[in-house]
Amino acid sequence: MATLFQGLPSSTAFSSSNKFNHAPAPTSFSGTWNNERKSSIVTVRSDARWSPVLNSATHKPQRLITNAVATKADSSLASTSSKPGHELLLFEALREGLEEEMERDPCVCVMGEDVGHYGGSYKVTKGLATKFGDLRVLDTPIAENSFTGMGIGAAMTGLRPIIEGMNMGFLLLAFNQISNNCGMLHYTSGGQFKIPAVIRGPGGVGRQLGAEHSQRLESYFQSIPGIQMVACSTPYNAKGLMKAAIRSENPVILFEHVLLYNLKDRIPDEEYVLSLEEAEMVRPGEHVTILTYSRMRYHVMQAAKTLVNKGYDPEVIDIRSLKPFDLHTIGKSVKKTHRVLIVEECMRTGGIGASLTAAITENFNDDLDAPIVCLSSQDVPTPYAGTLEEWTVVQPAQIVTAVEQLCQ
Amino acid sequence: MSLSATKFVHPITTPPSTRSSDKPLFSTFFGSNHTKLRFNKPIVAAQRRSSSAASTSSPVVAVSDVVKEKKLKSTSNLLITKEEGLVLYEDMILGRFFEDMCAQMYYRGKMFGFVHLYNGQEAVSTGFIKFLKKEDYVVSTYRDHVHALSKGVPAREVMSELFGKATGCCRGQGGSMHMFSKQYNLLGGFAFIGEGIPVATGAAFSSKYRREVLKEPGADEVTLAFFGDGTCNNGQFYECLNMAALWKLPIVFVVENNLWAIGMSHLRATSDPQIWKKGPAFGMPGIHVDGMDVLKVREVAKEAIERARRGEGPTLVECETYRFRGHSLADPDELRDPAEKAHYAGRDPITALKKYLFDNKLASEQELKAIDKKIEELLDDAVEFADESPLPPRSQLLENVFADPKGFGIGPDGKYRCEDPKFTQGTAHV
């Protein structure tokens, strides 16, 4: 049950802004930290440093995605053969990324409940068990703590497991293993063992799924040292982040959202891997920086439509990397607009927004003209009733009001 | 079951003639004679300790059958050769002397925190680990010094780690409860009980994966998971028994039942104290063995490890053992009955092995004394090495948090924070 949003009108045409082909870019850091497996594919950075075409001074989109989602209208007008890439839904993009990585490296395996024969509760692993076998796509018994620990033990001894939580909330049962072992073992072993595991699953507030199936675990996990957290929001970044997470030597938690699995978009045919630590510029602007991630990106874009009609020019950034924050992209934006609005689905207390507010205040206080506004979900267990559920999460109207107030 | 005013009577395994309820129950151990374990006898409910092995539904060959075969094949009546005997003796002495040295060093202020000593349980570590190849995995708990030593981690590195020096096996970052060694395949060292068992299950899964998916020819590594009686009431234990049996993972679950979880007697914490019985409930053999006798442990270990290596699946081995010291060096150890301690002190595994070696003319007093001296010198050297080793410098603070330090993210200046020189100095604020 996905909501499709109209893309924003923008000064650049659709085709030119979606540049999927980039010249291979050199990595900007020294060779010490390159991944062991070198590949010839592009690591896409939102930084325009290497590309001569893109010019930050004229505010041309650098790695712009004007359309978060390709609309039905768009795809019916244009013929599919004239555009680059192929269309698919977000869960298919995740599956594509997963499948490509499993083909590339035989040590990559998946484990979780119903990932094998059932194909995954959200079909992310559909067909993989038939293709790769029952051991590579392992159906586990319902024992989150133990199979997460098993994945960690497998990662320590040479495999690269992807551990799926059927719903992110179930990973609360695995907290012992995620916190103590996943995050800490590399350090307590003095660097001897690495844990290249990926922990992923759907989370967030769905449609009347009830309190326990509507949890946002990013706030609980964010303090664990030694892990990285990323949240995907479009088919494009879902596939890219999935691949990056699998290739990373660090343990990565990939947050997907229950309501975004059926988003449709066009993604490149060529192989691409995104950077785990970077944020994504969704819409450049002048007046206010709106930081968001996952499903709230779409509420923000919907609000942005209204705001543009009212004469505002919001800059929207999908932070993508929940831990660590991409302070460069965020900082550049703050220095430009001097106003920050954070829109998130996490709880008010101790959420990602709270940490982000602190980080921005610490680093960019002098650049702020107004206090940071953070719109988060209410500190309420998500109610079942549809109306109540709607009021616990941030809605586009609230975003519009907040921007108006901020820009006074 | 009657409730006295202040104390519980211990449950149904009490025979009518038992002693009063306020003493932890133990009876004269009816242990097997040291050449075989009894097999297929019904459990004598009266005894807390029975030596019956796996239930009849278990598919595994009984240990006694294996031993009978061995007796037929070998020319002598003995369970070990001289060389093996000396290896076992040396390993146990190393464990014992090392732990005694730890206590000394702790009270001299050279090491801190929680230190859990293994005195008295050496037969389990030596009995099992000496059957392993270097590639086999061992997973332990916080009582891991001797497992590390048996697996081959040099005493110098373990001692340094305890002193918190940079030359320790974990660079001083782990400590007493987190011994790791990639070289010797020691996967830890875990502070929370039970959390190592899934990791061990994962290592066994890795082994099976390499054999069946990657089709590596020699991939038959076995994993040993060591843990205590307290852990056997923990969910992770049962979840892993299930998964290991389900997928026939090459793992042996070794329970070091020393009857006490800090101050909680096993009998007060467990509805059915016979842990070995929990194996057959999951479809794997459950074996009980006298963990104070290294030769008996060896027999069981050999069979269990070879079974796992052949791909027949896991085994649950309950070793009845005892720790001579308190739970940790901070434990005053006031709860345990002195008579109980004396009973088990009389079954000291090292004394027992010595007696076996002498009685069977496998070694002389001098040879054993030479080994004692060798180990003492080794330990003196280890302490000296640890003393003289440097403490970890500040620059080590932020290393090893991530295998790929890009995980610290991108700083406001656009560069990865790990490129900031303050990171290598350890002064950057993350």
Side-chain angles (χ1 to χ4, degrees):
Chain A
M1 226 214 271
T3 337
L4 299 179
F5 291 90
Q6 189 77 21
L8 281 186
S10 138
S11 53
T12 53
F14 176 80
S15 54
S16 65
S17 63
N18 283 320
K19 279 201 174 59
F20 292 127
N21 292 315
H22 291 267
T27 49
S28 67
F29 43 86
S30 76
T32 335
W33 290 296
N34 280 339
N35 279 341
E36 291 160 29
R37 291 187 199 81
K38 296 206 189 293
S39 59
S40 59
I41 55 96
V42 179
T43 301
V44 175
R45 283 197 63 169
S46 59
D47 188 343
R49 251 185 270 178
W50 314 293
S51 174
V53 173
L54 307 173
N55 186 346
S56 53
T58 58
H59 305 299
K60 261 211 176 126
Q62 293 163 8
R63 276 289 316 122
L64 172 69
I65 317 281
T66 46
N67 285 359
V69 174
T71 59
K72 281 196 173 126
D74 266 359
S75 48
S76 62
L77 285 172
S79 76
T80 47
S81 57
S82 65
K83 289 195 191 149
H86 55 285
E87 257 191 355
L88 40 53
L89 304 178
L90 194 144
F91 77 86
E92 290 169 343
L94 287 167
R95 192 198 316 149
E96 223 177 69
L98 189 46
E99 203 171 336
E100 283 175 20
E101 290 304 301
M102 286 180 82
E103 280 168 0
R104 181 177 173 268
D105 182 354
C107 289
V108 177
C109 56
V110 183
M111 50 184 80
E113 292 159 16
D114 273 329
V115 295
H117 294 191
Y118 196 74
S121 52
Y122 289 92
K123 294 180 285 189
V124 174
T125 49
K126 189 164 180 203
L128 296 183
T130 333
K131 184 167 174 187
F132 295 109
D134 275 345
L135 212 53
R136 276 192 86 180
V137 187
L138 186 73
D139 277 323
T140 61
I142 306 176
E144 277 80 8
N145 198 18
S146 293
F147 71 70
T148 306
M150 195 173 94
I152 292 166
M156 285 167 78
T157 47
L159 298 186
R160 301 184 83 90
I162 294 138
I163 302 159
E164 173 171 316
M166 191 185 263
N167 183 289
M168 266 297 184
F170 302 165
L171 292 181
L172 287 173
L173 290 152
F175 212 112
N176 178 7
Q177 293 292 336
I178 295 175
S179 168
N180 282 356
N181 290 347
C182 206
M184 297 197 200
L185 275 186
H186 186 73
Y187 194 78
T188 50
S189 67
Q192 293 181 82
F193 291 101
K194 59 182 172 109
I195 321 238
V198 177
I199 299 174
R200 51 160 289 270
V205 177
R207 294 260 184 265
Q208 299 190 251
L209 299 178
E212 291 178 11
H213 281 85
S214 312
Q215 300 194 68
R216 282 77 75 193
L217 258 48
E218 22 319 347
S219 53
Y220 304 159
F221 290 142
Q222 65 176 319
S223 295
I224 301 173
I227 54 153
Q228 282 185 255
M229 305 201 302
V230 286
C232 63
S233 49
T234 66
Y236 178 76
N237 65 33
K239 180 176 173 184
L241 290 175
M242 170 70 96
K243 289 170 75 92
I246 296 173
R247 292 188 194 193
S248 172
E249 302 297 311
N250 300 331
V252 178
I253 306 185
L254 171 58
F255 290 92
E256 302 154 12
H257 198 287
V258 275
L259 292 182
L260 298 184
Y261 277 128
N262 287 327
L263 279 183
K264 189 188 263 198
D265 201 358
R266 185 168 284 280
I267 64 168
D269 290 326
E270 308 83 46
E271 202 182 6
Y272 67 95
V273 176
L274 294 177
S275 166
L276 287 173
E277 297 86 25
E278 286 186 21
E280 189 179 308
M281 176 69 73
V282 183
R283 180 192 189 281
E286 292 290 322
H287 293 160
V288 61
T289 299
I290 306 183
L291 301 172
T292 182
Y293 67 92
S294 194
R295 183 187 166 219
M296 287 297 119
R297 170 183 173 141
Y298 298 96
H299 281 202
V300 167
M301 294 310 279
Q302 193 174 20
K305 259 177 35 191
T306 318
L307 287 168
V308 164
N309 288 340
K310 291 190 175 189
Y312 294 95
D313 187 20
E315 176 153 293
V316 181
I317 295 177
D318 181 340
I319 60 172
R320 250 171 35 189
S321 173
L322 304 179
K323 178 180 159 90
F325 295 130
D326 178 1
L327 290 178
H328 178 61
T329 311
I330 294 172
K332 264 190 351 194
S333 180
V334 174
K335 289 181 174 138
K336 185 165 62 160
T337 65
H338 310 296
R339 287 179 170 76
V340 178
L341 170 67
I342 301 171
V343 180
E344 55 156 2
E345 206 178 43
C346 230
M347 307 292 224
R348 171 131 222 97
T349 306
I352 297 289
S355 299
L356 193 48
T357 308
I360 297 174
T361 315
E362 234 174 52
N363 286 291
F364 308 116
N365 199 27
D366 291 337
D367 298 299
L368 290 171
D369 283 348
I372 302 172
V373 177
C374 180
L375 296 177
S376 345
S377 298
Q378 306 270 16
D379 276 343
V380 160
T382 314
Y384 165 73
T387 43
L388 291 177
E389 186 184 64
E390 210 182 288
W391 295 324
T392 54
V393 295
V394 179
Q395 299 297 334
Q398 290 166 272
I399 303 173
V400 172
T401 318
V403 170
E404 288 175 335
Q405 278 179 341
L406 198 49
C407 288
Q408 270 163 8
Chain B
M1 200 160 96
S2 61
L3 259 177
S4 58
T6 50
K7 296 187 171 85
F8 276 98
V9 171
H10 289 293
I12 41 162
T13 51
T14 339
S17 58
T18 189
R19 56 187 70 212
S20 67
S21 60
D22 59 342
K23 295 229 170 21
L25 238 193
F26 67 91
S27 54
T28 344
F29 174 61
F30 270 48
S32 57
N33 58 58
H34 74 74
T35 52
K36 66 179 188 291
L37 295 178
R38 253 174 257 148
F39 175 67
N40 266 348
K41 286 254 157 73
I43 308 148
V44 181
Q47 308 309 322
R48 183 177 65 75
R49 294 300 188 188
S50 80
S51 59
S52 306
S55 71
T56 48
S57 61
S58 142
V60 89
V61 170
V63 174
S64 57
D65 290 353
V66 170
V67 175
K68 275 190 212 135
E69 276 178 43
K70 186 174 181 174
K71 286 186 86 167
L72 290 167
K73 284 185 203 150
S74 67
T75 48
S76 80
N77 237 1
L78 300 174
L79 288 168
I80 46 170
T81 64
K82 175 180 177 139
E83 291 74 33
E84 287 171 345
L86 293 179
V87 164
L88 295 179
Y89 180 77
E90 187 171 328
D91 195 51
M92 291 208 286
I93 284 288
L94 174 61
R96 179 68 60 89
F97 285 10
F98 187 95
E99 297 293 69
D100 286 338
M101 185 64 86
C102 274
Q104 248 192 66
M105 293 296 119
Y106 189 85
Y107 293 125
R108 280 195 210 169
K110 300 281 184 72
M111 58 176 88
F112 303 94
F114 292 129
V115 179
H116 308 84
L117 299 180
Y118 200 74
N119 297 50
Q121 298 180 199
E122 296 85 1
V124 180
S125 177
T126 302
F128 268 94
I129 299 180
K130 285 301 158 196
F131 266 126
L132 295 181
K133 303 187 295 193
K134 194 172 175 197
E135 298 77 31
D136 291 326
Y137 302 107
V138 167
V139 174
S140 180
T141 57
Y142 45 72
R143 208 178 293 283
D144 55 353
H145 307 168
V146 179
H147 293 138
L149 294 169
S150 289
K151 193 68 177 48
V153 183
R156 277 184 162 196
E157 286 182 28
V158 183
M159 193 60 85
S160 281
E161 182 64 30
L162 292 169
F163 282 29
K165 299 294 177 84
T167 48
C169 55
C170 300
R171 306 180 83 196
Q173 290 167 191
S176 165
M177 298 186 280
H178 304 283
M179 293 285 169
F180 287 84
S181 169
K182 190 158 177 83
Q183 189 182 3
Y184 296 98
N185 291 306
L186 174 67
L187 301 179
F190 293 94
F192 286 22
I193 58 157
E195 76 178 352
I197 308 177
V199 174
T201 313
F205 176 80
S206 227
S207 186
K208 185 182 166 88
Y209 189 97
R210 275 196 289 279
R211 181 165 24 186
E212 295 183 16
V213 175
L214 303 179
K215 309 268 198 278
E216 284 175 20
D220 59 355
E221 297 89 14
V222 170
T223 307
L224 295 186
F226 290 94
F227 47 92
D229 45 286
T231 311
C232 295
N233 294 323
N234 190 280
Q236 289 173 96
F237 169 60
Y238 296 107
E239 289 174 2
C240 290
L241 284 184
N242 179 41
M243 293 198 289
L246 183 64
W247 298 317
K248 287 199 162 33
L249 299 181
I251 183 172
V252 183
F253 296 100
V254 184
V255 183
E256 296 170 320
N257 185 350
N258 58 21
L259 299 180
W260 292 89
I262 308 188
M264 189 65 165
S265 152
H266 176 57
L267 302 173
R268 288 183 68 218
T270 318
S271 55
D272 185 346
Q274 293 178 304
I275 301 170
W276 62 269
K277 272 199 211 164
K278 303 183 188 190
F282 287 91
M284 71 177 82
I287 301 177
H288 177 279
V289 68
D290 173 9
M292 304 305 274
D293 184 331
V294 67
L295 300 177
K296 288 181 196 157
V297 173
R298 257 174 79 84
E299 285 176 39
V300 172
K302 184 169 198 293
E303 174 59 17
I305 292 171
E306 285 178 1
R307 188 180 125 81
R309 224 184 273 293
R310 286 192 298 264
E312 290 170 22
T315 315
L316 175 65
V317 181
E318 180 188 354
C319 304
E320 176 200 347
T321 182
Y322 201 76
R323 52 170 164 83
F324 295 155
R325 289 180 180 265
H327 163 75
S328 73
L329 289 173
D331 174 17
D333 195 17
E334 289 159 349
L335 269 184
R336 300 192 299 173
D337 184 5
E340 183 188 76
K341 292 191 211 176
H343 169 84
Y344 281 99
R347 286 164 57 186
D348 186 331
I350 294 178
T351 322
L353 180 66
K354 257 187 171 170
K355 184 168 187 299
Y356 185 86
L357 294 173
F358 291 156
D359 286 351
N360 294 290
K361 313 255 189 311
L362 286 173
S364 69
E365 180 103 27
Q366 282 150 312
E367 282 170 325
L368 297 189
K369 280 221 166 19
I371 292 179
D372 288 358
K373 186 160 188 308
K374 175 177 156 199
I375 295 295
E376 279 168 14
E377 284 169 8
L378 180 81
L379 288 178
D380 285 337
D381 167 76
V383 172
E384 203 182 307
F385 174 77
D387 257 335
E388 288 168 5
S389 290
L391 287 164
R394 179 125 194 202
S395 56
Q396 203 180 301
L397 179 65
L398 299 170
E399 292 174 19
N400 307 137
V401 177
F402 288 105
D404 178 2
K406 293 211 305 284
F408 282 118
I410 302 174
D413 57 1
K415 294 199 295 195
Y416 277 96
R417 288 158 118 192
C418 49
E419 295 170 339
D420 178 353
K422 290 218 207 91
F423 255 75
T424 41
Q425 289 159 21
T427 48
H429 207 77
V430 180

